[in-house]
Every structure is written in C-alpha cells, then in structure tokens.
Amino acid sequence: MKALVRMNGTVAGILERKGVTVWFQYDKNYLTLGQPALSKSLPLRKEAYEYEGLPPYFSGLVSEGWLKRVQAREQRIDPDDDFALLVSNGEDLPGAITIELLDLP
C-alpha cells in the first residue's frame, strides 16, 4: 500500500507499507525546493527511512479514542492498523499534512 504525502499542497514524499515494514522517502523535487522537513525525526535526506510499523511522526497523526473507533468501524479497518487508518483519513488531518492513497492493498 502506497500513499502520497503532501505538505501545504506540495508533494513531500511517499509512505509505503509492505507487510510490517513501512518506508517514507522524500520526493526529489521536494528536496530541491528547499522545503522544510516534515519533522525533526525525519530530517531531509535522499535515502528512505525504514521502520517496523508506522514511523512515530506519522503515528502521531492517527486519530485516537472515540474517533479512531468510529473510523475503524465505519471504514471496516482493523483498529490496530494505524497505517490503513492514516491513509484512509489522510485528507482530513490537522495541520499542513495530507496523505492520499495511491494504490489499494
């Protein structure tokens, strides 16, 4: 499953999951535009970040509590699948970040 990550409408990178491994890689154009890093935990670099599970920055964007339960139930997503919940609701996140699903699982 892949998702496009935008900051203030500008493509910042790709978030991808295969199994339990999740990668985030900044877009080449984003790096050349002199845009800010998404977070201090994801400084700008050409190489992909690799994590087992959702990177901490992105896990902080996943809904919590009653909203997470409602999203999981209504969208038929396992409430423990933070990646799927994030990309399914990524166009309605707080702040400057949006996440758009690029392909289906």
Side-chain angles (χ1 to χ4, degrees):
M1 182 182 287
K2 285 185 183 180
L4 186 67
V5 178
R6 293 180 188 267
M7 179 180 249
N8 293 318
T10 301
V11 174
I14 299 289
L15 188 63
E16 180 176 7
R17 177 178 71 179
K18 289 184 182 174
V20 296
T21 305
V22 178
W23 294 269
F24 173 72
Q25 185 162 20
Y26 280 104
D27 182 79
K28 291 176 187 175
N29 290 331
Y30 189 82
L31 292 172
T32 60
L33 291 172
Q35 298 292 322
L38 296 184
S39 77
K40 289 185 179 192
S41 65
L42 295 170
L44 296 173
R45 71 179 198 188
K46 292 179 184 177
E47 300 81 17
Y49 288 91
E50 182 177 333
Y51 293 87
E52 186 172 316
L54 198 58
Y57 170 74
F58 291 104
S59 67
L61 298 175
V62 177
S63 296
E64 297 177 336
W66 68 269
L67 182 56
K68 183 177 184 177
R69 290 190 299 276
V70 168
Q71 288 172 339
R73 184 180 63 243
E74 294 295 318
Q75 297 166 11
R76 295 184 175 98
I77 297 172
D78 180 339
D80 294 324
D81 189 348
D82 285 348
F83 186 94
L85 286 165
L86 179 65
V87 299
S88 294
N89 298 285
E91 293 187 40
D92 191 26
L93 299 174
I97 300 297
T98 58
I99 299 175
E100 304 165 26
L101 184 63
L102 289 177
D103 63 10
L104 299 175

